[in-house]
Amino acid sequence: MWFFAVTLHTDLGEIKIELFCERTPKACEKYAHFPAHCIFLFIKTPGTGKGGTSIWGRKFEDEFSEHLKHNVRGVVSMANNGPNTNGSQFFFTYAKQPHLDMKYTVFGKIIDGLETLDELEKLPVNEKTFRPLTETRIKDVTIHANPFAG
């Protein structure tokens, strides 16, 4: 089994994510090759945080697994606009979210930095868009292992 992890260095602290490469290879390959494209729904890199494309230049299909669920705090999933519309955005869960299972591709989990997730959760948000009122950025990304490297 591959072990692949990335650490996101944000304005609020670090978050280390284990990625599930064997079960979600397309979602993980995106971040293996283009870690600077990591865009949260609530943490913005340069740009609006409202779009972006995948490394294939188009939306890509869902990668659902009965073994990967939104069953704990800190699950990492692809954001989408419906079936097979994964692009470049992802989100973290703040709690169990079973209603998201089989709707959003789970491709990782936070393995270190839950205190940073706590800080993100405390940010005040716009009541209509649920986006934070204070911009928070990913400053850098560290790749700890890369199963896609030659």
Side-chain angles (χ1 to χ4, degrees):
M1 181 168 243
W2 293 335
F3 177 75
F4 178 40
V6 296
T7 296
L8 306 177
H9 306 274
T10 76
D11 292 341
L12 296 177
E14 295 183 349
I15 298 174
K16 188 172 188 178
I17 303 168
E18 175 185 358
L19 300 179
F20 306 133
C21 297
E22 288 188 347
R23 296 198 188 273
T24 59
K26 286 195 174 196
C28 291
E29 184 173 0
K30 173 184 180 40
Y31 298 103
H33 292 295
F34 290 94
H37 288 176
C38 296
I39 301 173
F40 290 82
L41 294 175
F42 49 84
I43 299 179
K44 298 186 213 174
T45 60
T48 65
K50 295 182 180 180
T53 58
S54 72
I55 62 172
W56 301 280
R58 60 174 171 71
K59 303 294 184 185
F60 65 94
E61 65 272 9
D62 296 318
E63 297 177 289
F64 298 138
S65 170
E66 289 295 324
H67 302 284
L68 302 176
K69 303 288 186 182
H70 296 88
N71 57 357
V72 295
R73 178 178 176 77
V75 169
V76 187
S77 296
M78 293 300 302
N80 65 44
N81 291 321
N84 300 311
T85 61
N86 297 295
S88 66
Q89 295 183 343
F90 63 93
F91 63 92
F92 297 131
T93 60
Y94 292 131
K96 291 181 184 180
Q97 301 293 330
H99 64 284
L100 301 179
D101 293 344
M102 307 307 278
K103 294 179 185 169
Y104 298 91
T105 297
V106 173
F107 70 96
K109 69 176 178 179
I110 295 174
I111 57 174
D112 192 24
L114 287 172
E115 62 283 350
T116 302
L117 186 63
D118 293 341
E119 294 304 311
L120 289 167
E121 188 175 19
K122 293 176 189 175
L123 292 174
V125 297
N126 178 299
E127 292 181 23
K128 291 182 182 178
T129 65
F130 299 106
R131 292 182 179 273
L133 299 175
T134 305
E135 189 172 271
T136 303
R137 292 184 179 264
I138 298 172
K139 300 184 295 184
D140 195 15
V141 178
T142 301
I143 298 175
H144 299 286
N146 187 346
F148 298 102

